Amino acid sequence: MSQARRSVSRSLAAHAVLLLYTVIALFPVFVVVINSFKSRRAIFADPLAVPTAGTFDLIGYRTVLAQGDFLLYFQNSLIVTVASLFFVLLFGAMAAFALSEYRFRGNMLMGLYLALGIMIPIRLGTVAILQLMVASGLVNTLTALVLVYTAQGLPLAVFILSEFMRGVSDDLKNAGRIDGLSEYTIFFRLVLPLVRPAMATVAVFTMIPIWNDLWFPLILAPSEATKTITLGSQVFIGQFVTNWNAVLAALSLAILPVLVLYLIFSRQLIRGITAGAVK
Amino acid sequence: MARRKPFRWHIAVFLAPAVLVYTAIMIVPLFGTLNLSLFNAAEQGRVFVGLRNFATLFGDPRWSASFWNALGNNAWFFLVHMLVQNPVGVALAALLSSPRLRGAAFYRTAIFIPTILSFVIVGFVWKLILSPIWGIAPGMLDAVGLKSLFAPWLGREGTALTTLALISVWQFVGIPMMLIYAALLTIPDEVIEAAEMDGVTGWSQFWKIKLPLILPSIGIISVLTFVGNFNAFDLIYVTQGALAGPNFSTDILGTFLYRTFFGFQLQIGDPHMGATIATAMFAIILLGVCFYLFAIQRRLRRYQF
């Protein structure tokens, strides 16, 4: 009896703390989104009120979509993120398969070499990366960004995926070999579909930093035609700092895509962490 | 003839793309940068100067003042994360993993959301909230009768860095929370049941049973925090600009590297000094990682199942 009551009060306390922290975590996002739908006067008069019929106004969104090259930036970000993600997943899975499936000389060493990049940030090589891109004429192209992000994403992808691929049953692969399938078919037809959940985890971990990165777009591709949405909204905020409607609308638009993707993948994410990264 | 083992081409094919891209874009430039720090620009191209750039960085009063200022700020930035972000993350994970808690998935998702936002959004939102002009923070403090506590925290030399560190903590607390939560889930039920049999429940169960078991994860989180913090740049850049104001009080190694390498306003970009700073950062990060691997990880091993 007393034990039961104690556990009820304990769970209430847990809920109270978690709810409080949830409010802290979401409050700034909430403030931006509600104010992006308000008229200029309402933003200043009562920043914490939700928009009502009297204060609702889409002027900010109209300004952003009309003035900024927001759609172009959006497209650039999308191309860079999707292309990098594709290469990270494909090359990462291939390398992970080689490392986890075959025993060959230098296997361990190759694994360590590829894992090095998890701890050493690629940013430290920026000076030489810029020289390399200048020399190969790739500055101010989206290709430069895709190459950099692919290299940046590979170490973690190989690490997590090889962890998962060790779990794929050997019997299945050997059955395939007896049936005369080539190693490539075994990889693409048998193993890849089985590690799809792990691929989703890697995708989330890879995608978020790429979508949000400011450093490499700033240094490698700052031209108007290649700006990503992160760099674009940074510049936009600088230019339109007095137009609060537009800035708040721009921020809300920039939050939206990652938020949607995260909500889709969040279940995969925790499963992936539980099974792979922390052992 | 020696046809014992034919060369297995498929292994090379599987490995080649990843190894080539990774080597060409990451490893070679990394060493290229380290190499560049040993040269200096001169009229006839570049000349080898050995360690003289480092002597300038640490010895020349103008350079060394900036460097030590950035390093000190960076250390404080890291310390705030270790003292606030990781304990809060562990506490949240411990609450989340309590048995039969309803809505755990909701809390987990909500608390992780700031982590997925870009620095541009995070920096600007907090600037707005803390701004004395718009006045959300002063208004809210006023509502609880604490308005006298308000100050333009981001604009004062004494408080700007700590405020930024706390904003960064707010953003990234989801990472330790997720990793620790995952680690807590992997603790076998038998261990918990045995503890309950012995009457170890509640907080003492956390301190005596669970915490020692998740220490390896805390170690990994600490080293990730270390690498992330000593490589940070974006948040300071978007809130305080490349000059890391007020009066360089929020300058950290990342912004110092950017200004030096790229140039800003009165300063002309210098790839060689930039490479020198990057090399110093590389050394600091490498030291931290090695310290973790040799001093901490080895001692933690025995707690693992």
Side-chain angles (χ1 to χ4, degrees):
Chain A
M1 176 65 197
S2 75
Q3 185 122 29
R5 195 181 302 146
R6 199 163 39 162
S7 90
V8 166
S9 67
R10 186 175 294 148
S11 118
L12 276 181
H15 277 289
V17 174
L18 287 169
L19 211 57
L20 177 74
Y21 200 88
T22 304
V23 171
I24 296 176
L26 295 184
F27 174 71
V29 180
F30 173 76
V31 169
V32 169
V33 174
I34 59 166
N35 281 295
S36 73
F37 289 106
K38 292 201 291 204
S39 66
R40 185 176 168 77
R41 191 182 301 157
I43 292 177
F44 282 95
D46 197 353
L48 290 179
V50 270
T52 60
T55 58
F56 181 81
D57 200 336
L58 286 176
I59 176 81
Y61 288 91
R62 280 201 297 273
T63 317
V64 171
L65 294 178
Q67 284 190 340
D69 291 316
F70 237 68
L71 292 177
L72 175 69
Y73 301 158
F74 211 89
Q75 188 189 328
N76 287 338
S77 271
L78 207 64
I79 293 173
V80 168
T81 310
V82 171
S84 315
L85 205 56
F86 173 77
F87 289 123
V88 168
L89 289 177
L90 179 68
F91 296 169
M94 283 162 64
F97 184 67
L99 290 175
S100 62
E101 177 67 15
Y102 309 112
R103 312 177 118 258
F104 57 92
R105 200 184 295 175
N107 182 317
M108 266 285 284
L109 222 62
M110 188 57 90
L112 275 178
Y113 174 69
L114 287 172
L116 206 75
I118 299 176
M119 290 296 182
I120 305 296
I122 191 169
R123 224 175 245 189
L124 295 180
T126 303
V127 181
I129 290 178
L130 182 63
Q131 289 187 338
L132 178 79
M133 294 304 172
V134 170
S136 54
L138 288 173
V139 168
N140 276 327
T141 62
L142 298 179
T143 317
L145 292 178
V146 172
L147 280 172
V148 168
Y149 293 140
T150 307
Q152 171 186 288
L154 278 171
L156 193 68
V158 173
F159 183 73
I160 295 181
L161 290 176
S162 52
E163 202 74 15
F164 270 87
M165 285 185 183
R166 288 206 183 93
V168 175
S169 106
D170 280 335
D171 294 343
L172 184 74
K173 286 174 282 192
N174 289 334
R177 290 197 179 100
I178 291 168
D179 287 346
L181 300 182
S182 73
E183 295 296 324
Y184 305 107
T185 321
I186 289 175
F187 170 68
F188 282 107
R189 290 280 158 77
L190 295 182
V191 177
L192 266 195
L194 286 175
V195 294
R196 220 182 282 153
M199 302 277 265
T201 310
V202 174
V204 179
F205 273 123
T206 313
M207 180 186 70
I208 293 171
I210 296 177
W211 183 271
N212 288 337
D213 190 38
L214 184 62
W215 176 269
F216 283 113
L218 194 62
I219 287 167
L220 293 181
S223 81
E224 195 54 34
T226 54
K227 268 194 192 113
T228 60
I229 189 111
T230 312
L231 183 57
S233 39
Q234 151 77 11
V235 174
F236 189 78
I237 288 171
Q239 281 169 355
F240 290 87
V241 79
T242 45
N243 187 344
W244 287 54
N245 293 91
V247 168
L248 290 166
L251 290 176
S252 304
L253 286 177
I255 293 173
L256 201 65
V258 251
L259 194 64
V260 170
L261 280 172
Y262 172 65
L263 291 177
I264 295 172
F265 282 116
S266 62
R267 200 168 287 274
Q268 287 298 346
L269 188 70
I270 191 75
R271 198 192 299 166
I273 301 172
T274 332
V278 179
K279 269 267 164 79
Chain B
M1 281 275 289
R3 267 210 49 166
R4 262 196 3 241
K5 256 190 181 175
F7 186 75
R8 288 175 293 174
W9 278 104
H10 50 268
I11 299 181
V13 172
F14 279 130
L15 275 173
V19 172
L20 283 180
V21 173
Y22 173 75
T23 307
I25 311 290
M26 185 150 179
I27 301 297
V28 170
L30 206 55
F31 283 99
T33 303
L34 303 190
N35 183 41
L36 215 58
S37 69
L38 302 176
F39 289 87
N40 232 335
E43 279 163 37
Q44 67 276 29
R46 54 183 206 183
V47 285
F48 182 79
V49 293
L51 295 177
R52 218 174 301 154
N53 285 334
F54 291 93
T56 312
L57 184 63
F58 301 125
D60 184 319
R62 274 182 315 154
W63 283 100
S64 70
S66 304
F67 177 77
W68 293 116
N69 174 44
L71 185 63
N73 286 342
N74 223 150
W76 174 246
F77 196 71
F78 171 61
L79 199 69
V80 172
H81 280 79
M82 287 301 281
L83 292 179
V84 183
Q85 172 188 283
N86 296 346
V88 169
V90 173
L92 288 172
L95 286 174
L96 272 179
S97 71
S98 51
R100 294 180 299 280
L101 180 88
R102 290 207 190 159
F106 165 74
Y107 292 127
R108 211 174 56 214
T109 307
I111 294 173
F112 198 74
I113 279 179
T115 309
I116 64 170
L117 301 179
S118 84
F119 289 98
V120 175
I121 297 169
V122 169
F124 194 75
V125 168
W126 278 102
K127 247 169 97 170
L128 285 184
I129 291 175
L130 297 175
S131 142
I133 304 169
W134 199 19
I136 289 187
M140 286 174 68
L141 284 175
D142 197 18
V144 288
L146 291 173
K147 195 174 184 192
S148 58
L149 281 183
F150 182 78
W153 288 304
L154 276 175
R156 290 199 175 168
E157 277 184 45
T159 52
L161 182 64
T162 310
T163 310
L164 282 168
L166 290 174
I167 293 173
S168 169
V169 165
W170 169 82
Q171 185 178 7
F172 288 116
V173 81
I175 290 177
M177 181 192 77
M178 281 289 206
L179 293 175
I180 295 293
Y181 177 70
L184 286 170
L185 290 187
T186 57
I187 296 177
D189 288 337
E190 302 91 73
V191 175
I192 304 298
E193 277 162 23
E196 273 168 7
M197 292 287 209
D198 292 341
V200 184
T201 54
W203 276 113
S204 74
Q205 187 186 65
F206 176 78
W207 288 111
K208 291 186 183 144
I209 314 286
K210 290 179 179 167
L211 189 65
L213 290 172
I214 57 170
L215 272 184
S217 299
I218 293 183
I220 292 174
I221 287 162
S222 307
V223 78
L224 286 178
T225 311
F226 178 82
V227 174
N229 285 167
F230 275 86
N231 177 39
F233 158 80
D234 310 60
L235 182 66
I236 314 275
Y237 178 77
V238 298
T239 48
Q240 312 292 65
L243 288 176
N247 192 21
F248 298 109
S249 63
T250 57
D251 200 20
I252 59 173
L253 292 171
T255 43
F256 183 43
L257 167 65
Y258 176 82
R259 271 202 321 276
T260 308
F261 165 50
F262 220 56
F264 196 77
Q265 292 181 359
L266 298 176
Q267 202 172 352
I268 300 167
D270 182 346
H272 296 283
M273 281 313 280
T276 309
I277 294 168
T279 306
M281 289 166 75
F282 180 80
I284 292 167
I285 289 175
L286 206 63
L287 272 177
V289 172
C290 288
F291 172 76
Y292 163 75
L293 286 179
F294 292 114
I296 299 179
Q297 168 100 350
R298 275 208 297 198
R299 246 170 259 175
L300 290 176
R301 270 285 154 76
R302 63 195 146 112
Y303 288 116
Q304 284 177 314
F305 301 111

